[in-house]
Amino acid sequence: MSSYLSVLATPGAWRFLVPALVARLPYAMLQIGILLLVQWSTGSYGAAGVASAAAAISQAVVGPQTGRLADRYGQPRVLLPQVTVHALALGALLALAASHASVPLLAVTAALAGASVPQVGAMVRARWSHLLGGSGRLGTAFAVESITDELTFTLAPVLLVLLSTGFSPVVALLVSLALILAGTVVFAVTRIGAPEPMPVKVRSTRGVLRLRGVAVLALGFLAMGSVFGSMQVGITSFTAQMGVPAVAGPIYATFSGASVVGGLLYGAIRWRVPAPTRLVWGLGLLAAATSALMLAGTVPLLFGAAGLAGLVIAPVIITGYTIIERLTPAEVRTEAFTWLTGAIGLGLATGASVAGQLVDRFGPTLAFVVPPLITGLVTLLILIRLPSLRPLPEPANTLVPSAHRP
């Protein structure tokens, strides 16, 4: 615990951590909020799924580009215009839903809202990297961020459902909009820890994704996203089939709570095993742990299996961010972090889609095949590419300062 207290005692840290937490809470509310809003507007879960997927995919694709802009021009110059566009897009989506607009128009507007979500989580990690880079406390700082992510993904759906059922999905998303506006603006104007702009040019059509190890790590995070998406579908459909649909929330909360515990324990340990090795072992354990979901034929067993899987999630995420911080130069670190965040979003959408198809055709149990299958395959692929996750003695990148462009 002393390691966490040491990190949280970093001068000025709380001045950007508190607004960042406020801004990140709506991040976990957006996708399910759009799902509920469009279903309320159209009466169709199919249309709601299309709009929600459009938001998730656009966020995953555009997020790294905003991260690149933040590296080049500074966080405030990106966040303030971005949150303005997001507010306008989300406001337009609310108005269109209230007027029962067509599904294509709702989906396009949802995609714009997703694309303009401020990437505060990646920028907080960039600030920690700037403040603590090269010290042993950085891994603990990343543990703090992963625990914060889990807390937001546990609390946000509860808040959203309460507001949606007590009032309406419109009210729920209005609260989300107010939180993200207030949190993002305060975070942007708080300059403590913010890296200085470092304009660079990446000589590659795929940019940072072509740098050593980044695509490999993104693949690992996509696998973790597929676990989130497929488990949401599997738990929801399984509990509905058992006649206890209200239990789905507590089961998923158990999964998130166990991840918080796993992250706390992991961040408190001074590891001697190299981070790439820990990543492979962690993904392998995740594949094994999620296999237990297929054998959980009762609700109590599903609670236990979800908790077992949750224990592994945060440690794997912490390890991934630790590795990418060591592999990428400071000039593109925010963009690199957003690639990992975007990969989780793509994995979540993919996992939910595949699991949903399996549930429709074969029943709820088949949804639980997706997590161990995808994580197992990705573990083998990362094991083959393991050397690419180890930093070279001399930085191997193709970055050239903009002042020296040919």
Side-chain angles (χ1 to χ4, degrees):
M1 190 58 67
S2 61
S3 58
Y4 286 102
L5 294 176
S6 173
V7 166
L8 294 175
T10 301
W14 284 104
R15 290 181 60 187
F16 67 80
L17 286 178
V18 173
L21 176 61
V22 174
R24 290 159 77 178
L25 191 62
Y27 182 93
M29 298 169 66
L30 183 66
Q31 194 169 345
I32 189 171
I34 289 175
L35 185 78
L36 294 174
L37 178 71
V38 176
Q39 194 281 328
W40 168 82
S41 175
T42 64
S44 167
Y45 279 102
V50 169
S52 181
I57 293 170
S58 64
Q59 184 176 328
V61 172
V62 177
Q65 313 314 315
T66 61
R68 177 183 301 180
L69 293 174
D71 284 325
R72 294 185 179 185
Y73 304 110
Q75 294 182 1
R77 294 181 65 182
V78 173
L79 282 173
L80 294 175
Q82 189 176 30
V83 77
T84 302
V85 173
H86 182 67
L88 293 172
L90 197 53
L93 181 63
L94 291 169
L96 289 170
S99 63
H100 305 287
S102 66
V103 173
L105 187 56
L106 289 171
V108 170
T109 311
L112 181 58
S116 57
V117 171
Q119 299 295 316
V120 175
M123 295 187 191
V124 173
R125 288 180 168 92
R127 292 194 184 199
W128 280 126
S129 181
H130 181 66
L131 289 171
L132 304 178
S135 74
R137 295 190 296 160
L138 185 58
T140 305
F142 285 158
V144 169
E145 292 310 308
S146 293
I147 292 165
T148 301
D149 286 339
E150 291 298 337
L151 287 174
T152 58
F153 275 92
T154 301
L155 296 175
V158 174
L159 175 61
L160 185 78
V161 170
L162 285 174
L163 291 171
S164 295
T165 55
F167 300 96
S168 75
V170 174
V171 172
L173 281 180
L174 280 173
V175 171
S176 171
L177 179 56
L179 290 173
I180 202 167
L181 269 172
T184 303
V185 170
V186 175
F187 177 79
V189 300
T190 302
R191 303 298 182 93
I192 294 173
E196 291 298 320
M198 290 180 281
V200 297
K201 179 181 179 181
V202 181
R203 290 179 184 158
S204 167
T205 56
R206 287 163 54 197
V208 170
L209 201 60
R210 284 290 297 270
L211 295 180
R212 179 181 174 84
V214 175
V216 176
L217 284 171
L219 188 62
F221 275 60
L222 187 145
M224 284 185 285
S226 73
V227 173
F228 299 145
S230 55
M231 280 188 63
Q232 286 176 354
V233 172
I235 290 170
T236 301
S237 58
F238 181 85
T239 53
Q241 185 185 65
M242 298 294 288
V244 285
V247 179
I251 292 176
Y252 205 77
T254 300
F255 172 75
S256 298
S259 182
V260 171
V261 173
L264 284 169
L265 294 174
Y266 183 87
I269 297 173
R270 293 186 178 276
W271 293 94
R272 295 184 178 180
V273 178
T277 303
R278 299 201 306 268
L279 180 70
V280 172
W281 276 103
L283 283 169
L285 284 172
L286 184 60
T290 52
S291 297
L293 294 165
M294 295 186 294
L295 306 176
T298 65
V299 170
L301 288 176
L302 193 57
F303 267 102
L308 183 63
L311 282 171
V312 190
I313 285 288
V316 177
I317 291 175
I318 295 165
T319 305
Y321 279 114
T322 300
I323 293 172
I324 205 165
E325 194 274 339
R326 296 172 182 173
L327 287 175
T328 55
E331 294 94 324
V332 294
R333 200 158 286 151
T334 306
E335 182 183 352
F337 289 153
T338 52
W339 274 114
L340 299 191
T341 305
I344 288 180
L346 284 176
L348 195 151
T350 302
S353 176
V354 173
Q357 294 296 321
L358 290 173
V359 169
D360 286 343
R361 287 169 170 76
F362 306 106
T365 304
L366 264 293
F368 297 127
V369 172
V370 177
L373 179 63
I374 294 182
T375 51
L377 290 172
V378 169
T379 300
L380 291 175
L381 290 172
I382 291 179
L383 184 61
I384 295 170
R385 297 295 307 276
L386 192 60
S388 69
L389 300 182
R390 301 187 181 109
L392 295 173
E394 295 293 333
N397 59 68
T398 56
L399 302 174
V400 178
S402 61
H404 297 92
R405 293 179 188 174

